[in-house]
Amino acid sequence: MNKFILYLIISATFLWCESSPNEKANVQDGNEINSYHITFNGLKSRSISINAQIPVDESEFYILPHDKRFLPDIESYWDVITIESMSDDSKDPLDIIEFIKTDEYNITKAKLNREVVGNLELNYTVDISYIDKNYPNLNTAIGKSFGTDYFLVAKPLFIFSKYRSETKVTISNPAGLKITIPWKKQDESYLANSLREFAYSNIIITSGPMNTSDIVVGNLSYSIASFLNNKESAKLIKEMAIDISNYYVNLFPLDKPVRYVQLVYSVPGRDSGGEAYPYSSASAFSEESMKTSISWKITVFHELFHMWNSHRLNGVTLNRKMEWLTEGFTEFMTEMALYKNGHISENQLITLRESRLSRLKNTMIRKNGKVSILNSGENKGPNYNIVYEGGWLIANWLNNEFKQKTMNQWDTERFLAHLFDKYPEDGDLKLTVEAFMSEVGEINKETEKKLIILLNASNWESVKEFI
């Protein structure tokens, strides 16, 4: 029997599905149900076996998209999945005749040689050995090894056809290993109203010690799992997380219980970065730079605030025209949370803001009028500084404008709270660029007119008028 302890911390997340999280969670007999039995084959095998029984429309089923920033050497998760067997209620053979990349959300679908009769049963294996490869991206949330310890995101675990169907998951693991999963459990199964709560999940597996801190603030149950060399580093992050999570929740209360898991780990050098999903994230930074830089603080709590922005705003996630809001307003809120809770000084805040403006200026001059803040998200990588710092400039400028025009009745924080209330993730209204502008105009028409100019500005001379 293995002597190590296995921790699986799986944060229920999803990036684009619009089904309501407030709907019933009990799976009812007779309804169409996505059913999965997942077997984790141990740390050394680097493979996961799944038996799935899923309702299928016509002759197609799907796997969720992957980001080539993180896994550049595969075209889709189909490249790491081996289907061992496939059948339906008919005796006729079933074969995949082609894989097709859809326009919507970049999902890849499998096309079968005929329509499915009844439910489709699949036995497939997910090869997760790719997490041991050396990629240039040190902050990937897809997978990372720490000796025999690793984490991954559960996107490749689920093949599906009807995403909004009720979902049932059971799990097997080698004897003697412990599993912790923050999902709704009934008897021996985990249940949800749709695949939403399972499809995007950070899974952490470890054979060694892992520091885990649990924080409860209102409806937020927040756990931080850390792979850090220094115990003092983990302690410092927990102390900050208590302050920052209280700040966020007090400003933007949650109307239902939310489970959130954040992985924090160290990387060599001075790089930092992160990736967030609605209810989980991974953040990477160098412990060597913790005493000399505040970038790690921005990284960790930027990812936490993504739980609100954009994942609590209907229509914003994956809307490339709204990247300035998603990233820039999150940067603004992160620095406000750190400053107001005493985790960065006024001098550090001033230096940080000067650096932001310098990066924005240099990038816009280099782009020579080709990229505006509004369209910068269409090619986010090369336009990184315009997306983040341009969006931050808008948030900061709006904060000052609102205060001035409304005698301190409105500011950016109150405005965000208003958006979270009016455009909830499970609501009918979608927050588009046009809707955002209209909301600004409801507060002050002159501010709306100025904002249109700033959003569409593509040269530094126009942008600096708003500083």
Side-chain angles (χ1 to χ4, degrees):
M1 179 183 295
N2 292 320
K3 295 182 179 179
F4 53 79
I5 296 176
L6 171 68
Y7 291 91
L8 291 182
I9 298 181
I10 305 182
S11 175
T13 60
F14 186 53
L15 198 57
W16 50 266
C17 177
E18 296 175 0
S19 61
S20 170
N22 296 319
E23 295 173 324
K24 57 187 175 62
N26 293 329
V27 175
Q28 303 294 321
D29 293 337
N31 290 350
E32 292 184 324
I33 297 172
N34 292 311
S35 179
Y36 304 89
H37 185 95
I38 300 174
T39 301
F40 293 93
N41 298 320
L43 291 174
K44 293 182 179 179
S45 73
R46 292 298 201 254
S47 70
I48 300 170
S49 301
I50 295 121
N51 170 267
Q53 298 186 45
I54 58 175
V56 173
D57 275 334
E58 299 179 343
S59 60
E60 299 173 346
F61 56 91
Y62 307 87
I63 194 70
L64 290 166
H66 93 291
D67 194 323
K68 290 187 76 70
R69 292 179 300 162
F70 300 131
L71 296 174
D73 54 352
I74 65 173
E75 289 301 316
S76 78
Y77 280 123
W78 290 113
D79 293 348
V80 299
I81 290 174
T82 300
I83 296 179
E84 312 290 350
S85 64
M86 180 169 50
S87 62
D88 64 359
D89 296 345
S90 167
K91 300 289 186 181
D92 298 328
L94 269 170
D95 296 301
I96 297 174
I97 56 176
E98 64 177 327
F99 293 103
I100 305 169
K101 186 167 288 188
T102 66
D103 292 333
E104 187 176 28
Y105 305 115
N106 200 30
I107 296 172
T108 304
K109 65 182 177 182
K111 182 76 174 176
L112 295 169
N113 63 322
R114 63 174 176 81
E115 291 189 6
V116 172
V117 178
N119 281 353
L120 179 66
E121 180 172 1
L122 293 159
N123 287 288
Y124 54 98
T125 302
V126 180
D127 176 10
I128 55 171
S129 62
Y130 62 83
I131 70 171
D132 292 322
K133 296 180 181 179
N134 291 319
Y135 292 115
N137 224 319
L138 295 176
N139 60 21
T140 174
I142 300 300
K144 183 68 61 177
S145 274
F146 309 88
T148 57
D149 313 316
Y150 63 94
F151 74 98
L152 55 89
V153 174
K155 286 182 287 187
L157 299 184
F158 298 102
I159 292 174
F160 64 95
S161 178
K162 297 184 177 181
Y163 203 89
R164 293 173 176 83
S165 290
E166 292 174 328
T167 301
K168 173 181 177 181
V169 175
T170 56
I171 291 177
S172 296
N173 56 282
L177 304 182
K178 180 182 177 182
I179 296 180
T180 302
I181 303 174
W183 292 343
K184 303 180 187 76
K185 193 168 187 179
Q186 181 173 305
D187 298 324
E188 297 303 313
S189 300
Y190 299 92
L191 306 176
N193 186 66
S194 74
L195 192 53
R196 171 180 182 158
E197 292 192 29
F198 302 103
Y200 277 77
S201 305
N202 279 336
I203 303 175
I204 306 165
I205 305 175
T206 178
S207 62
M210 178 178 62
N211 292 310
T212 304
S213 301
D214 298 312
I215 301 165
V216 177
V217 184
N219 276 330
L220 176 64
S221 173
Y222 173 27
S223 294
I224 303 175
S226 59
F227 289 97
L228 297 170
N229 299 320
N230 187 336
K231 290 184 178 179
E232 291 301 315
S233 299
K235 180 182 177 182
L236 176 59
I237 290 172
K238 178 184 178 181
E239 292 172 351
M240 293 179 60
I242 292 172
D243 291 341
I244 304 305
S245 58
N246 271 281
Y247 183 77
Y248 287 157
V249 173
N250 288 336
L251 279 174
F252 313 112
L254 302 168
D255 58 5
K256 63 180 184 296
V258 170
R259 173 81 170 127
Y260 188 90
V261 175
Q262 185 166 31
L263 170 65
V264 178
Y265 62 98
S266 61
V267 293
R270 300 181 62 84
D271 291 335
S272 64
E275 188 73 5
Y277 299 108
Y279 303 111
S280 70
S281 64
S283 301
F285 56 86
S286 169
E287 285 186 90
E288 299 171 9
S289 65
M290 286 186 71
K291 294 181 179 179
T292 60
S293 172
I294 64 172
S295 64
W296 67 272
K297 300 178 183 180
I298 300 292
T299 297
V300 173
F301 299 109
H302 173 107
E303 302 308 336
L304 174 60
F305 192 67
H306 272 314
M307 193 186 78
W308 283 268
N309 184 30
S310 63
H311 297 305
R312 282 189 65 194
L313 292 170
N314 187 26
V316 174
T317 302
L318 292 186
N319 183 343
R320 299 307 179 198
K321 288 288 188 182
M322 300 290 278
E323 288 284 0
W324 53 271
L325 171 67
T326 300
E327 301 296 356
F329 277 59
T330 298
E331 289 284 89
F332 175 84
M333 281 306 308
T334 304
E335 69 179 30
M336 293 295 286
L338 290 167
Y339 173 65
K340 289 186 176 182
N341 284 278
H343 295 296
I344 60 175
S345 67
E346 185 172 0
N347 285 338
Q348 286 176 316
L349 180 65
I350 292 171
T351 300
L352 174 63
R353 292 182 168 185
E354 288 174 347
S355 297
R356 291 189 187 283
L357 293 174
S358 177
R359 289 192 294 271
L360 179 60
K361 174 183 177 180
N362 292 337
T363 304
M364 296 201 81
I365 291 174
R366 187 172 67 252
K367 295 292 182 178
N368 196 27
K370 296 178 181 178
V371 181
S372 67
I373 296 174
L374 178 62
N375 65 26
S376 60
E378 295 175 3
N379 196 6
K380 185 176 177 179
N383 300 329
Y384 181 93
N385 286 330
I386 300 180
V387 170
Y388 282 71
E389 316 309 353
W392 169 86
L393 175 60
I394 290 174
N396 189 60
W397 175 79
L398 273 180
N399 192 56
N400 296 328
E401 273 283 304
F402 283 153
K403 287 181 177 181
Q404 180 183 351
K405 294 290 173 38
T406 67
M407 299 181 65
N408 292 321
Q409 294 299 305
W410 283 86
D411 58 15
T412 295
E413 290 174 348
R414 182 183 174 186
F415 185 62
L416 281 174
H418 167 71
L419 296 181
F420 296 142
D421 288 339
K422 188 169 180 178
Y423 301 89
E425 59 188 336
D426 55 347
D428 295 327
L429 295 177
K430 287 189 177 182
L431 183 61
T432 61
V433 174
E434 293 75 20
F436 184 94
M437 302 303 293
S438 178
E439 295 294 342
V440 172
E442 288 294 317
I443 298 171
N444 186 270
K445 287 294 184 182
E446 183 183 351
T447 301
E448 179 188 12
K449 293 177 181 178
K450 290 181 180 178
L451 180 56
I452 293 172
I453 296 172
L454 176 56
L455 263 177
N456 288 280
S458 59
N459 62 78
W460 178 246
E461 292 301 314
S462 298
V463 168
K464 73 178 185 180
E465 297 297 323
F466 292 84
I467 298 172

